[in-house]
Amino acid sequence: MTTPLPSTDGVRVAVRVRPFSQREKNSGSKCVISMHSGTTTTIQDPKNPEHRKTFIFDLAYWSHDGFQKDQDGVLISADPSSQFASQTDVFHDLGRGILDSAWQGYNTTLLAYGQTGSGKSYSMVGFGANKGIIPKVCEELFQAIEKKEGNEDYQVTFSMLEIYNEQIRDLLSRTKKPGGLKVREDQQLGFYVDGLKSVPCENYAQIERLMEQGTKVRTTASTNMNASSSRSHMVVTIQFKQVFLDRHLTKQSSINLVDLAGSERQKSSGSEGDRLREGSRVNLSLTNLGNVISALADAAMGKRVLHVPYRDSVLTKLLQPALGGNSRTALIAAISPADLCYEETLSTLRYAERAKKIQNKAVVNTSMLMRESKAENSKALLMTETFPHLLNVNEDPQLTGVLKFFIQTGTRHLLPRPRPRPPLHLPLQTLVFFRISDKHASFTNLDGTVMVTPHGQCKVVVNGVPIVAKTKLQHLDRLILGSNSAYLYIGFPAERGSEDLSRFDYDFFQLERAAAEGVSVDKLGAAGRGDGNADPSVLAVFQDYVKLMPLVAEANQMGEELDKGLRMELKVKNLASSDSRGYDLQKEVMVKVTHQRTHEVWIWSKAKFINRKFLMEELYQRFLEGEASHVAREDDPFWDPVEAVHLGSAHVWLQPLAYCMRLEEQVDFLNCDGTEEAVLHVHVTPCSPGGQACGDEDVVMDPLELLGKRMDFQIGLVRCLGIKWLKERAERGVQIGYRIYDLSSTFYTKPVWKTVNPQIEETVQFTALNASQEFLNYLQTNALVVELWGLQEGCAQLSSSQPDVMVTSEGHIMVDTKKISTVMDTSQTTSNQISELYMKLLKLEQETELLRNVNRALREENVLLKHSLQKVASAKPARKPSDTLKVPPMPAQLPAAGDSPHVSAQRAGSDRELAMALKVFYQSMNAARGQFLRLKHYKPPDDDGLLRPFVHQQSQRLKDFGELLESSLWRLKSDVARIVREKRAGLLHPG
Ligand code: ADP
Ligand code: MG
């Protein structure tokens, strides 16, 4: 016998692009993938369509379009010109390769990589009639064995495991070992899983049954532990041994078929900004697989690689032979065609590119014959479907419809959860296992009617609506039991038709639940666009909301079982908030966490919540396994130090300031849902540098008159009224903060505690030394957004960090300093020099202003003198009235050279009156703006019965709003008309 030479071969890499999912179609996705000549894949950047990247792999499968269903439901090419790649095509290349290698005695491995929902399981396992590589390989293997005649014996064993959180679970075993099975190392065998069941099989039907059972266990486990299958790796191993009896020789091949966890977890940035590290074990295996592949790819490119980290994770230990070792390996990279997935898809293609470089050295595994005993075969149980039953619906379509709960005649309680051993088979009367409380609900099947009754406080949702009493079930009702166990109710055989059950998928359940909770694209503000299409950012928030909804329910349930006393709620940040110009702010989902006993409140971002949920799952798993689930407070994913909580914002429109008018208002603090949190009494007062409030005589007609001048104003927060945060809990406190114009820091008031109507009385003076056009524009179009923050016992108060705030010589805070900053930024001077320069500049500005004033006074005096001189020299008649009337009444100008002193004085008088009229007008416009913003955010009630009063109220508000506008305009018009009349009369009859 000769020693077979190792054959060096690279990892074969295939890419496969799937059709659009329903969700992608609904949101109008565009395809960013194209493929050519069976090997080339091009991806286009949706934000920058000229930017394309091309990858060449061994195989490129176009399964996106160009297909149709045959009578058995199998997807086939729609016509001969279609480049569509079917399951058969994929099997033809990859599956056959696996079988050939196996027959030759090589180890072989196929990995499916890609983000969740990209089609990994579709290629590996398949759906229904569209069988994937795993069943087809097994089927063909046995077909080939059956055809063999001769003095040979064939042994096939099958095992199936799952790696979740770095723990191995035997999917063919009825018992779950706490902590999972262990990976051990053997000098000869390398790494292996100790105690893993490897079941000998004699035909394909046996394998099919084992796979079914394995999937059942996987589904049950995923439901029981609130664990998503997208985060677990599934490894199917077929040991194939050929025994050549006459030659006393064996050839052995290990076929590993791996459906990897969703790759999107790899770069989970959830822990960014979180106190706790990322839930690391969740994706350790996948991250480390990437590290191993990178190291091997580097080595293949001639780089010096000191260490390949096989040992750093469970998966890489098991896959060691497949990666740079004794195996022929292929990788199928599954990708989504949609523009929304561009980043993920690109990263999958890059990953595949690296994997392609790996070089393996596969050898034929032969050895001398030794006899082995056979383990007993396992049996499966048939089920009958004449009873009404519940069919499970999982987030992962592979795990949907795997579990059935038959409702036989009589009353059935949901059993206590079978911790820690789910049975492998589901006998008729056995109920499915929910991660829900003991005796969750009962089902009765009497007189041809099935009823469900929730027990105690247990959650049962039927068709999106929670039920509290006995409820009759109808064929195809949707049930959610506990946090997130979804079931489709299948009625009596007589009720069943030929309906398509596949439309009741996971998305259907979640959308239905969201709609029942009053969350829909419309409610999130899509209506505002006017073109009937939802704003993409609103759609994105909606998708996030629906996706997070079940996760929040699960987190609540884990918290409940772990006795954390927390309540988590999904909220939409900025649902009804506007920026300083009144435009809607970017919306995002967030999670509000409330401690039920202490009433402490936290706000978590989406990323933080996702990270925390991983960590909660780790803790929960320990709890389920009976391990101590106690953690130090600092490490507890359910705990955080308390922080100040954003309660709401109020808008104070600054327009009057642009006319040097004072404004004093009561404005509402509105929370993210648009409801009132408190009322703020505030004033914004133009003043002199010394802080003296300006009077009516300082009002200007045109903000441009203020251009280049010094402007001083005070923002005074007087008091707050009716703060809800304090009505809820009297020991709480508040702080108020605001930021104005170009200042980078927020000014916070001092904290006030334990009072619902606190007196604030804080006034800050701001100065624009040289009011710029931009600043004046800002005042006319923007509001000061004042934020209300809730303080709770033990939380740090908010403080104004003002490192780069500049102050005037009087100590006022300077705004509109761009010009000064530019001078300071460009000068390469030390800070001392900067402040020196700045002081000089300040002085210069003040001197210039002084000179300007002197100049103006001199000019006026000059004009006066000229006039008296002229009067004395020639007794000329006054100008004709018609000439004077040509001076336009609006906008009024400052007294200019050429006017007589009398006209000047008379004009200044009418200007002041006009200013007063304008002041009244702007003030009412302010009220109108406030009303308009509030009107914009009123949302119709969920209850249809309340719709009529709502519409009535809304039209009343619109009427009031319209009247306010009308009366303000009318008043302005009549005031202006009066002033013009008076002015004309004054000019016609001077003196
Ligand atoms: P993954 O395992 O990567 O999470 P799945 O294999 O479950 O993704 O695929 C997600 C969905 O897309 C499933 O409903 C599946 O039927 C569908 N799908 C995936 N690939 C294809 C394909 N090549 N042809 C048709 N449908 C596909
Ligand atoms: Mg899958």
Side-chain angles (χ1 to χ4, degrees):
M1 188 181 91
T2 54
T3 316
L5 282 175
S7 68
T8 302
D9 42 14
V11 169
R12 261 184 120 192
V13 174
V15 191
R16 188 177 193 188
V17 59
R18 62 159 169 75
F20 280 134
S21 67
Q22 195 55 45
R23 203 190 287 175
E24 286 163 349
K25 278 188 212 157
N26 291 350
S27 55
S29 295
K30 307 233 163 19
C31 177
V32 292
I33 302 293
S34 56
M35 286 178 170
H36 318 274
S37 52
T39 53
T40 309
T41 304
T42 301
I43 181 166
Q44 185 180 35
D45 184 346
K47 290 205 194 90
N48 186 1
E50 278 94 71
H51 187 221
R52 291 155 192 270
K53 194 154 171 25
T54 296
F55 295 83
I56 297 176
F57 295 113
D58 298 289
L59 298 157
Y61 292 116
W62 181 260
S63 302
H64 178 62
D65 59 10
F67 58 86
Q68 63 187 39
K69 257 188 203 171
D70 74 3
Q71 70 273 19
D72 301 322
V74 178
L75 302 188
I76 52 166
S77 275
D79 59 80
S81 65
S82 156
Q83 59 165 339
F84 174 73
S86 67
Q87 293 285 63
T88 313
D89 296 323
V90 175
F91 174 74
H92 187 82
D93 303 317
L94 295 174
R96 283 275 150 66
I98 290 169
L99 284 169
D100 292 347
S101 300
W103 281 103
Q104 291 167 47
Y106 290 105
N107 292 337
T108 164
T109 305
L110 176 65
L111 304 162
Y113 183 90
Q115 73 179 113
T116 298
S118 59
K120 297 180 295 296
S121 304
Y122 187 90
S123 287
M124 295 301 275
V125 184
F127 284 77
N130 293 287
K131 279 189 191 163
I133 294 172
I134 301 179
K136 284 201 169 175
V137 159
C138 297
E139 198 171 11
E140 292 231 346
L141 181 65
F142 281 108
Q143 275 171 10
I145 290 173
E146 273 156 30
K147 283 197 197 122
K148 292 272 176 187
E149 310 164 337
N151 204 6
E152 285 136 37
D153 190 19
Y154 301 94
Q155 294 166 12
V156 177
T157 66
F158 181 88
S159 65
M160 191 169 172
L161 64 84
E162 178 181 56
I163 303 171
Y164 185 86
N165 259 358
E166 289 304 281
Q167 293 195 3
I168 300 176
R169 179 181 197 124
D170 188 344
L171 293 176
L172 299 185
S173 167
R174 55 179 74 224
T175 53
K176 179 183 184 308
K177 215 166 156 249
L181 300 178
K182 294 283 165 284
V183 181
R184 305 212 186 278
E185 194 174 7
D186 178 274
Q187 291 271 308
Q188 254 139 41
L189 294 173
F191 291 109
Y192 68 98
V193 181
D194 192 12
L196 180 73
K197 250 188 163 185
S198 188
V199 182
C201 297
E202 277 163 356
N203 52 46
Y204 172 61
Q206 282 180 0
I207 289 204
E208 221 176 11
R209 239 172 282 138
L210 287 173
M211 277 199 68
E212 230 168 72
Q213 289 166 8
T215 310
K216 238 168 237 174
V217 171
R218 196 174 180 211
T219 310
T220 314
S222 127
T223 315
N224 276 359
M225 299 197 307
N226 278 337
S228 162
S229 71
S230 66
R231 267 180 275 134
S232 70
H233 312 278
M234 185 184 79
V235 183
V236 163
T237 305
I238 299 155
Q239 298 285 352
F240 176 50
K241 194 168 181 179
Q242 307 169 62
V243 184
F244 304 95
L245 294 166
D246 40 6
R247 288 189 279 160
H248 295 278
L249 197 74
T250 67
K251 254 191 204 175
Q252 177 146 357
S253 162
S254 175
I255 307 170
N256 291 300
L257 304 161
V258 187
D259 190 349
L260 291 168
S263 55
E264 69 280 2
R265 310 285 174 190
Q266 250 206 318
K267 58 160 179 75
S268 152
S269 56
S271 60
E272 262 168 41
D274 191 0
R275 186 177 58 82
L276 292 180
R277 67 172 173 84
E278 188 176 326
S280 59
R281 296 204 301 171
V282 168
N283 52 26
L284 180 63
S285 267
L286 199 64
T287 311
N288 197 47
L289 179 65
N291 296 343
V292 167
I293 287 178
S294 291
L296 291 170
D298 283 352
M301 300 307 285
K303 279 198 199 154
R304 226 176 110 218
V305 173
L306 293 176
H307 171 66
V308 181
Y310 290 113
R311 289 170 180 277
D312 291 1
S313 69
V314 168
L315 181 71
T316 47
K317 280 181 190 169
L318 296 182
L319 291 182
Q320 186 173 19
L323 302 163
N326 176 17
S327 174
R328 286 180 166 172
T329 300
L331 177 114
I332 180 159
I335 57 175
S336 154
D339 46 0
L340 268 180
C341 298
Y342 170 76
E343 297 291 338
E344 280 300 339
T345 302
L346 188 62
S347 111
T348 298
L349 292 169
R350 294 218 164 102
Y351 194 95
E353 197 171 47
R354 248 171 291 143
K356 202 175 79 173
K357 299 191 179 123
I358 298 175
Q359 294 294 318
N360 283 358
K361 295 175 210 67
V363 293
V364 173
N365 303 304
T366 57
S367 68
M368 301 309 286
L369 183 62
M370 286 187 298
R371 277 256 157 246
E372 285 169 9
S373 65
K374 285 186 180 181
E376 69 173 274
N377 286 344
S378 50
K379 303 180 240 77
L381 225 110
L382 283 176
M383 297 192 277
T384 157
E385 306 208 349
T386 53
F387 290 108
H389 55 275
L390 300 179
L391 210 56
N392 86 302
V393 175
N394 196 289
E395 182 184 8
D396 186 340
Q398 275 285 322
L399 305 185
T400 290
V402 168
L403 301 179
K404 275 176 194 162
F405 161 30
F406 288 93
I407 307 163
Q408 289 169 287
T409 324
T411 299
R412 302 276 155 207
H413 296 290
L414 284 190
L415 294 180
R417 60 170 170 268
R419 219 188 291 163
R421 53 167 68 193
L424 190 56
H425 311 298
L426 294 172
L428 277 185
Q429 71 279 25
T430 309
L431 308 175
V432 280
F433 313 106
F434 311 117
R435 290 294 316 137
I436 46 179
S437 62
D438 298 352
K439 279 223 193 108
H440 193 92
S442 51
F443 290 85
T444 52
N445 177 353
L446 291 173
D447 308 323
T449 304
V450 171
M451 311 274 265
V452 57
T453 316
H455 283 213
Q457 301 292 311
C458 293
K459 269 182 246 143
V460 176
V461 172
V462 178
N463 302 336
V465 182
I467 58 161
V468 286
K470 199 170 197 173
T471 303
K472 186 177 169 197
L473 291 182
Q474 310 274 359
H475 179 52
L476 300 184
D477 272 350
R478 281 81 52 202
L479 280 89
I480 299 177
L481 305 175
S483 60
N484 194 28
S485 297
Y487 293 86
L488 185 64
Y489 170 71
I490 307 294
F492 292 92
E495 299 173 68
R496 300 176 204 167
S498 56
E499 55 275 285
D500 175 18
L501 298 187
S502 68
R503 75 189 193 92
F504 299 107
D505 60 1
Y506 187 76
D507 268 11
F508 187 100
F509 277 64
Q510 301 307 338
L511 290 175
E512 183 173 63
R513 199 182 197 182
E517 285 178 14
V519 180
S520 64
V521 178
D522 286 349
K523 289 266 163 70
L524 294 182
R529 286 246 304 195
D531 59 359
N533 292 325
D535 177 342
S537 75
V538 170
L539 266 182
V541 174
F542 180 65
Q543 303 269 10
D544 269 354
Y545 195 99
V546 172
K547 222 164 88 190
L548 286 190
M549 217 172 42
L551 304 189
V552 170
E554 287 170 3
N556 269 326
Q557 186 212 317
M558 290 191 277
E560 217 169 277
E561 289 192 45
L562 293 168
D563 212 9
K564 296 291 180 186
L566 294 185
R567 202 174 111 72
M568 290 170 246
E569 293 164 88
L570 212 47
K571 292 263 170 193
V572 179
K573 185 171 160 185
N574 301 331
L575 182 63
S577 321
S578 343
D579 67 5
S580 69
R581 301 178 51 162
Y583 297 132
D584 283 2
L585 281 168
Q586 181 76 34
K587 298 175 177 45
E588 50 188 278
V589 290
M590 59 185 186
V591 177
K592 179 180 174 187
V593 186
T594 314
H595 196 291
Q596 282 158 315
R597 191 175 43 77
T598 63
H599 301 273
E600 290 162 318
V601 175
W602 298 265
I603 301 291
W604 289 354
S605 67
K606 170 184 152 194
K608 179 167 175 174
F609 169 74
I610 288 175
N611 182 46
R612 288 302 171 91
K613 172 124 195 297
F614 288 163
L615 294 167
M616 289 172 193
E617 281 167 20
E618 285 183 24
L619 188 69
Y620 186 61
Q621 200 173 350
R622 293 216 292 275
F623 162 74
L624 286 186
E625 285 167 357
E627 281 177 48
S629 59
H630 181 76
V631 276
R633 203 170 70 160
E634 308 72 67
D635 297 328
D636 188 350
F638 289 91
W639 183 82
D640 261 328
V642 275
E643 290 174 351
V645 178
H646 183 257
L647 300 177
S649 334
H651 281 62
V652 181
W653 293 96
L654 293 169
Q655 198 178 33
L657 200 54
Y659 295 86
C660 222
M661 290 178 199
R662 175 182 153 87
L663 93 150
E664 179 152 6
E665 276 189 40
Q666 310 254 15
V667 285
D668 292 344
F669 279 113
L670 301 179
N671 64 18
C672 65
D673 299 329
T675 48
E676 185 189 305
E677 276 295 314
V679 174
L680 173 71
H681 183 172
V682 56
H683 70 79
V684 179
T685 311
C687 61
S688 70
Q692 204 81 44
C694 293
D696 290 342
E697 65 285 359
D698 298 302
V699 170
V700 297
M701 289 296 93
D702 183 347
L704 277 182
E705 290 174 36
L706 300 170
L707 186 64
K709 302 243 174 75
R710 174 171 173 154
M711 280 179 77
D712 282 84
F713 58 95
Q714 295 177 341
I715 295 181
L717 304 181
V718 184
R719 73 181 71 83
C720 235
L721 297 165
I723 305 173
K724 270 199 193 146
W725 174 251
L726 274 126
K727 284 187 194 159
E728 280 167 17
R729 307 287 304 166
E731 67 274 18
R732 290 171 171 171
V734 287
Q735 265 185 286
I736 299 176
Y738 59 86
R739 238 181 63 188
I740 185 154
Y741 192 51
D742 56 354
L743 288 183
S744 57
S745 47
T746 304
F747 289 84
Y748 291 104
T749 58
K750 285 190 281 302
V752 275
W753 293 88
K754 302 183 185 175
T755 148
V756 177
N757 305 315
Q759 206 63 27
I760 310 280
E761 303 289 6
E762 284 197 35
T763 301
V764 181
Q765 183 159 340
F766 296 88
T767 305
L769 281 180
N770 193 346
S772 66
Q773 178 78 57
E774 294 81 35
F775 180 59
L776 293 170
N777 289 348
Y778 161 83
L779 292 180
Q780 289 174 83
T781 49
N782 285 259
L784 180 74
V785 181
V786 187
E787 317 267 10
L788 181 65
W789 291 85
L791 301 175
Q792 26 196 349
E793 222 181 337
C795 85
Q797 68 181 64
L798 300 162
S799 59
S800 327
S801 68
Q802 306 170 353
D804 47 2
V805 161
M806 295 191 258
V807 284
T808 64
S809 51
E810 301 94 345
H812 308 320
I813 289 160
M814 285 173 48
V815 291
D816 194 17
T817 54
K818 214 186 273 156
K819 212 167 79 191
I820 301 168
S821 310
T822 328
V823 172
M824 286 167 63
D825 285 348
T826 46
S827 60
Q828 300 282 324
T829 44
T830 63
S831 66
N832 266 348
Q833 284 171 305
I834 287 176
S835 48
E836 219 172 273
L837 251 179
Y838 162 60
M839 286 318 291
K840 269 190 202 159
L841 192 73
L842 210 76
K843 235 175 149 177
L844 270 176
E845 297 261 6
Q846 282 168 353
E847 278 169 19
T848 319
E849 181 63 28
L850 206 77
L851 280 175
R852 260 193 227 124
N853 284 341
V854 172
N855 187 29
R856 210 173 291 138
L858 281 174
R859 227 174 41 207
E860 276 169 25
E861 212 175 301
N862 196 15
V863 171
L864 270 180
L865 285 173
K866 245 197 224 160
H867 270 280
S868 24
L869 215 72
Q870 278 172 356
K871 261 188 191 165
V872 174
S874 61
K876 234 180 148 191
R879 274 182 285 173
K880 278 184 214 153
S882 59
D883 286 347
T884 339
L885 267 178
K886 276 183 193 147
V887 180
M890 288 267 287
Q893 290 155 347
L894 280 176
D899 283 341
S900 74
H902 165 74
V903 171
S904 286
Q906 196 267 340
R907 196 183 232 186
S910 61
D911 281 356
R912 201 155 31 243
E913 276 183 63
L914 194 57
M916 284 314 296
L918 275 175
K919 180 177 174 172
V920 173
F921 177 68
Y922 290 132
Q923 270 162 359
S924 45
M925 276 305 107
N926 263 359
R929 263 188 221 234
Q931 270 193 24
F932 176 68
L933 265 190
R934 247 163 291 157
L935 264 174
K936 202 169 107 184
H937 288 303
Y938 280 127
K939 293 274 178 310
D942 302 330
D943 187 347
D944 283 351
L946 295 175
L947 212 55
R948 192 181 290 274
F950 170 80
V951 171
H952 179 74
Q953 202 183 20
Q954 191 79 349
S955 51
Q956 188 57 43
R957 280 186 187 129
L958 277 172
K959 205 168 133 245
D960 291 349
F961 178 61
E963 276 169 9
L964 179 66
L965 273 182
E966 283 290 323
S967 67
S968 318
L969 273 177
W970 179 83
R971 188 152 175 194
L972 181 70
K973 271 193 221 153
S974 63
D975 280 351
V976 169
R978 178 178 50 79
I979 292 163
V980 170
R981 258 198 321 275
E982 284 169 6
K983 196 168 186 169
R984 193 174 297 179
L987 286 171
L988 283 170
H989 314 287

